[in-house]
Amino acid sequence: IRALQTAGRDAQRIEAAADTGATIDPATALRTALRFGNGALAVGEVRGEEAAVLYEAMRVGAASDTVIGTIHGEGYDGVKERVVADLGVPESSFAVTDLLVTLAPTAAGKRVVTIEEVTDGGSAVLFEYDGSRLEPTPRLARGNSRFVASIARPGETYADGMAAIERRAEILEPTSLHRGSTPAEGAADA
């Protein structure tokens, strides 16, 4: 939060705990955050009933369509299994997920290893870590990403959507935990 505030972003933190006797539980904290307005919503450690609230926010397009949550699971199959089977989110609600960013532990902390787009038939990898950097896959370069096409404004091309992603990565790079990463990696880490 501090890094986002330092970068000039209006970021507010709500802390919640699942412990009995906690001031506010995670699901109530999330419902409260949804009333803050149209900014982005980021939820760390989704692991209980707040998962249903998070996916409802995604489904209805809350928070200007920018709803982000972190959850333990490895890639599309692992996250889907965790969200649907373990946390009871309907499969139709999980289907509104746009992107899955998978991190892996490193000696320096964590790093992005894949960015997947959720598709009608499962998922498709858009970026993959090659051992030295996060590289775009042929799907992205061929213009086959439904997500990239969806962020282009009316009259803009797929290339315009890609350019917008690169601009956002440059803006978010100062908030990255990994100062040596490339802009695309920094945006995914932030």
Side-chain angles (χ1 to χ4, degrees):
I1 296 294
R2 223 172 298 136
L4 290 169
Q5 291 168 336
T6 300
R9 309 294 279 188
D10 180 16
Q12 296 181 31
R13 173 186 217 117
I14 296 179
E15 290 196 30
D19 305 331
T20 54
T23 306
I24 188 169
D25 65 273
T28 301
L30 182 52
R31 285 186 187 96
T32 301
L34 287 169
R35 293 184 182 100
F36 280 172
N38 285 330
L41 178 64
V43 180
E45 282 296 318
V46 175
R47 55 183 163 176
E49 68 180 79
E50 71 276 9
V53 179
L54 178 73
Y55 274 90
E56 177 65 14
M58 287 182 195
R59 195 178 65 72
V60 300
S64 298
D65 295 329
T66 306
V67 179
I68 303 166
T70 63
I71 190 163
H72 289 271
E74 192 168 327
Y76 172 81
D77 292 329
V79 171
K80 182 178 179 186
E81 175 73 17
R82 177 99 168 95
V83 170
V84 174
D86 298 346
L87 299 176
V89 172
E91 196 166 331
S92 60
S93 293
F94 179 78
V96 301
T97 304
D98 291 318
L99 298 172
L100 292 172
V101 178
T102 302
L103 303 170
T106 68
K110 295 180 181 178
R111 79 160 299 96
V112 175
V113 292
T114 59
I115 299 176
E116 297 172 83
E117 156 176 67
V118 176
T119 64
D120 292 335
S123 72
V125 176
L126 300 179
F127 289 92
E128 193 163 35
Y129 183 64
D130 69 359
S132 63
R133 59 176 304 180
L134 204 56
E135 289 288 336
T137 63
R139 176 184 182 84
L140 196 60
R142 286 191 306 262
N144 292 336
S145 169
R146 184 173 58 189
F147 173 75
V148 173
S150 76
I151 64 169
R153 293 184 177 131
E156 289 185 332
T157 65
Y158 186 90
D160 294 329
M162 287 297 297
I165 290 171
E166 290 172 15
R167 282 192 305 278
R168 290 178 185 138
E170 290 170 10
I171 291 168
L172 290 173
E173 197 279 329
T175 65
S176 173
L177 299 175
H178 302 286
R179 298 288 177 223
S181 61
T182 66
E185 291 169 322
D189 288 346

